[in-house]
Amino acid sequence: MAERLTCIVCPLGCALRVEVDGGSAHVTGNQCARGLDYGRQEALDPRRTVCSTVFVRGGSWPIVSVRTSEPVPRARIMDVMGELKKTVLQAPVEVGRVVITNVAGTGADVVATRCVDKG
Amino acid sequence: MIELEVDVAVVGAGPAGLAAACAAREAGARRVLVIDRNSWLGGILPQCIHDGFGVEETGHSLTGPEYAEMYVSKARALGVAIMGGAMVLELRGDRHLVVASPKGMHSISAGSVVLAMGCRERTRWHSLIPGTRPSGVFTAGVAQAFVNLYNRMVGRRVVVLGSGNVGLIMARRLRLEGAHVVGVVEALPEATGLPRNVVQCLEDYDIPLYTGHTVTGIFGRERVESVEVSRLDPEMRPVPGTSSVIECDCLLLSLGLIPENELSRGAGIEMDQSTGGPVVSQDLETSVPGVFACGNCLHVHDTVDMLAVESRRAGANAAAHRSQITRGRGCAVRAGPGVRYVVPQLIDSPGTVELSLRSVEKLAPATLTVRSRDRILLEKRLRYASPPNMIKVTIDVDGGVLSSREMEVSIDG
């Protein structure tokens, strides 16, 4: 099974070709070692940091920006969004506050990235 | 009129202004005041809720608001004074600012000034897109503020014009919030944003990218109903007969950033047409003594990390400035063949200078040359040179170069 990927590590954006065989991946088309690692990771277990907003009641802003504490599997992005949609916080909210633990069973938490005062 | 006297006045509390203000305090300036028109601090950062900020600076990939918080806390801890909700109406050549705020009009006299106003976005009218004038046409940054600060959704069926980073980021954002993003339209043959964003904003969500095309008409009575998209020939002209209509209720425009310099022009500061910002010396001082410039109002940066490095220098230099010092005539730095712009545009004292520049076109590999009359100061082989990626080189400037009065930077394939 071969996959074509664009490497994102540097602006060259090399066209990678990754052959996946079971749990291992063979990468070609890279011009450096970082591209090798990226191609492997992206083909075997692509992950993304999800950043969005959640509702805040009683605050000086109607929403607060949040992020996942670590990248989650790409296939679970919309499940994470579904959990965020259901979340309502009460002001005040501090940067770094854990808003959801183990979101959608991914192992990552969701943390607030901004302060919202009562208002 | 409320009269104030400060040592360093910083216009703008975005990443550039905050970094400059912190550096000014650390360099020993006693009264440092940052003035910002918004009720919040951090400038554009609080609405940039995606990550990728501060990687070089902190080793972590922070979101915009987290990066802003880092500097706001630092500024407060250092005793930087902050005036929010205040608009600087005028900057005078004697480093005098006229400021309007809810408390009233202020007349502020400053030992030195740092300009950090950032950018504005190109609008529909810069490109003169024909059609009707319905609601639902937003620049990408404005749509970002609506969605990420004010919890207002901008549309359900969206077309994005322009594949720069802001457009790509907003394509993803709106998709995540449930809109159908019909596609991103880009005039050039390739996306202009980072490959990372093409992958993580478009490919991840199967959002099509239509290169070599542009929006040639906007239609709808009260609200956008559709846009006309046409293919472009190699001279960037719409090809007759290639137009198609895309139904949508929202058009986002990501057409580029323009440094905001109304204050600079009003103060009679010499401007560089190729950057859209002031002409500055290697100390980031403008043609008006004691007035410095940094950040996106000077030239549009690629990353906030690089912007912060520059802004810290501007702040430190502003703190060290003595108004009696007059500038020497120095050496003009010109953008030669293959170079769109170079900052600084003037070097007026010997030493090590870092040049920031952008190439005109994409070349791989490329050779960068810095020459002064017939003397080659630097010749560097680059793996690639591309306009969206700022190039930085360091050169040593001696008395001979200064007296030659001229330096040119060029890029060759």
Side-chain angles (χ1 to χ4, degrees):
Chain A
M1 263 294 265
E3 206 180 318
R4 292 198 179 278
L5 303 172
T6 309
C7 184
I8 65 167
V9 178
C10 89
L12 274 178
C14 296
L16 303 178
R17 192 168 174 276
V18 189
E19 300 226 17
V20 176
D21 182 16
S24 67
H26 178 64
V27 181
T28 48
N30 57 304
Q31 288 185 49
C32 79
R34 290 195 298 164
L36 204 71
D37 293 333
Y38 173 77
R40 221 175 259 142
Q41 174 75 37
E42 185 67 2
L44 293 175
D45 179 26
R47 290 186 170 251
R48 302 287 186 263
T49 301
V50 180
C51 300
S52 185
T53 53
V54 300
F55 289 123
V56 177
R57 296 261 176 268
S60 51
W61 294 96
I63 46 178
V64 69
S65 48
V66 298
R67 64 173 299 159
T68 52
S69 56
E70 53 197 73
V72 302
R74 187 180 61 191
R76 308 296 316 283
I77 292 173
M78 295 318 279
D79 295 331
V80 172
M81 287 302 297
E83 290 295 309
L84 297 180
K85 186 99 180 142
K86 292 188 276 188
T87 305
V88 180
L89 303 177
Q90 194 67 32
V93 181
E94 335 71 64
V95 195
R97 190 218 283 196
V98 176
V99 162
I100 304 174
T101 19
N102 188 18
V103 63
T106 60
D109 295 336
V110 173
V111 302
T113 56
R114 204 186 167 187
C115 292
V116 176
D117 299 327
K118 274 196 183 151
Chain B
M1 196 68 110
I2 304 164
E3 310 251 347
L4 280 180
E5 212 181 87
V6 300
D7 297 307
V8 181
V10 180
V11 184
L18 291 174
C22 289
R25 276 293 287 151
E26 284 169 332
R30 203 166 49 85
R31 301 162 299 178
V32 177
L33 172 68
V34 180
I35 306 161
D36 195 282
R37 67 190 175 211
N38 292 317
S39 58
W40 68 84
L41 301 175
I44 205 70
L45 290 173
Q47 67 183 60
C48 297
I49 67 168
H50 50 282
D51 70 315
F53 299 90
V55 177
E56 281 169 41
E57 209 172 321
T58 69
H60 299 290
S61 178
L62 302 176
T63 60
E66 288 168 319
Y67 186 93
E69 178 61 31
M70 189 172 75
Y71 271 97
V72 170
S73 303
K74 187 173 178 191
R76 289 201 169 113
L78 284 170
V80 170
I82 297 171
M83 192 187 286
M87 187 84 174
V88 178
L89 299 178
E90 191 188 344
L91 166 65
R92 299 212 312 245
D94 56 356
R95 300 177 315 280
H96 204 96
L97 299 105
V98 177
V99 182
S101 88
K103 290 200 170 87
M105 294 293 288
H106 292 74
S107 169
I108 302 178
S109 86
S112 56
V113 177
V114 179
L115 300 176
M117 291 83 71
C119 283
R120 290 202 181 270
E121 299 178 274
R122 259 200 192 89
T123 67
R124 171 185 180 174
W125 311 112
H126 281 95
S127 321
L128 293 174
I129 304 175
T132 56
R133 290 174 296 169
S135 67
V137 180
F138 307 98
T139 53
V142 166
Q144 189 181 54
F146 272 124
V147 174
N148 294 341
L149 297 180
Y150 302 105
N151 198 36
R152 290 269 189 259
M153 192 52 176
V154 290
R156 287 279 151 218
R157 208 180 144 81
V158 182
V159 172
V160 178
L161 175 59
S163 64
N165 291 316
V166 191
L168 298 179
I169 295 265
M170 279 313 291
R172 173 177 64 189
R173 186 78 188 99
L174 294 180
R175 169 69 185 88
L176 287 177
E177 289 297 339
H180 174 58
V181 182
V182 181
V184 175
V185 178
E186 165 58 53
L188 292 176
E190 276 178 19
T192 57
L194 294 168
R196 176 190 178 189
N197 287 330
V198 175
V199 171
Q200 297 189 355
C201 299
L202 300 187
E203 290 176 15
D204 278 3
Y205 302 94
D206 295 318
I207 295 173
L209 172 66
Y210 301 110
T211 53
H213 284 72
T214 197
V215 171
T216 45
I218 298 172
F219 305 107
R221 196 158 162 268
E222 288 171 9
R223 181 78 191 189
V224 177
E225 286 162 28
S226 64
V227 296
E228 176 189 86
V229 175
S230 306
R231 192 157 51 81
L232 296 171
D233 67 20
E235 275 79 56
M236 294 299 182
R237 288 172 313 209
V239 177
T242 64
S243 64
S244 57
V245 171
I246 302 179
E247 281 180 11
C248 58
D249 67 354
C250 176
L251 174 66
L252 292 199
L253 303 173
S254 177
L255 303 174
L257 301 176
I258 310 169
E260 184 174 341
N261 282 288
E262 288 151 21
L263 286 178
S264 316
R265 291 191 186 90
I269 288 172
E270 188 187 344
M271 303 293 292
D272 180 347
Q273 267 197 351
S274 60
T275 55
V279 168
V280 292
S281 70
Q282 75 281 354
D283 295 333
L284 301 171
E285 191 176 21
T286 68
S287 60
V288 172
V291 178
F292 297 78
C294 62
N296 278 355
C297 77
L298 176 59
H299 60 131
V300 178
H301 291 67
D302 297 343
T303 67
V304 77
D305 309 67
M306 295 199 302
L307 178 151
V309 170
E310 178 185 88
S311 304
R312 281 194 283 274
R313 281 202 306 118
N317 293 338
H321 171 78
R322 307 276 182 273
S323 42
Q324 303 92 316
I325 290 179
T326 49
R327 284 206 336 220
R329 282 209 354 247
C331 171
V333 184
R334 292 189 209 294
V339 175
R340 182 130 55 89
Y341 75 74
V342 180
V343 174
Q345 299 90 336
L346 174 73
I347 298 175
D348 64 8
S349 58
T352 308
V353 177
E354 184 183 66
L355 302 176
S356 301
L357 56 128
R358 289 193 189 276
S359 67
V360 168
E361 54 177 345
K362 189 170 182 179
L363 294 167
T367 305
L368 183 150
T369 310
V370 183
R371 59 172 66 82
S372 171
R373 305 275 172 191
D374 48 10
R375 198 176 135 197
I376 293 189
L377 302 177
L378 177 83
E379 200 170 74
K380 190 171 181 184
R381 196 103 169 111
L382 305 169
R383 288 187 77 199
Y384 58 84
S386 86
N389 303 107
M390 192 183 295
I391 298 164
K392 286 183 182 285
V393 290
T394 306
I395 51 163
D396 288 312
V397 177
D398 59 25
V401 175
L402 282 181
S403 53
S404 76
R405 299 235 174 283
E406 203 171 282
M407 190 185 300
E408 185 189 82
V409 187
S410 56
I411 294 177
D412 225 319

